[in-house]
Amino acid sequence: MVYNNARISLSERARELASLRVLGFARGEVLRILLLELTLLTLIAQPPGWLMGYGLAWVMKTNLQEN
């Protein structure tokens, strides 16, 4: 999922990242910006994902116990 998000982000922001290169940013700096964004998105998305997964497991467990 992170890989897919990285590919989409890179393709959508290719022009913006190229503009940063033209403005004088080094490749490493542009890469760092992209990786920081992906890291933040991953860290923000994990807790809700854990809660949804726990909730789904609980619903499945309770539904299977009733049958």
Side-chain angles (χ1 to χ4, degrees):
M1 189 134 177
V2 174
Y3 174 75
N4 189 35
N5 192 12
R7 299 272 314 215
I8 292 170
S9 179
L10 182 59
S11 66
E12 287 178 350
R13 297 184 56 204
R15 182 173 286 186
E16 296 169 12
L17 296 172
S19 296
L20 289 175
R21 291 281 292 138
V22 169
L23 290 172
F25 282 79
R27 274 188 152 170
E29 292 170 324
V30 174
L31 178 64
R32 202 170 319 142
I33 291 169
L34 187 61
L35 291 178
L36 179 62
E37 176 187 339
L38 292 173
T39 302
L40 288 174
L41 285 174
T42 301
L43 292 175
I44 290 170
Q46 277 183 346
W50 292 331
L51 291 174
M52 288 188 289
Y54 181 79
L56 180 61
W58 181 79
V59 167
M60 290 174 61
K61 178 183 171 190
T62 57
N63 286 339
L64 288 175
Q65 285 178 350
E66 291 175 5
N67 291 333

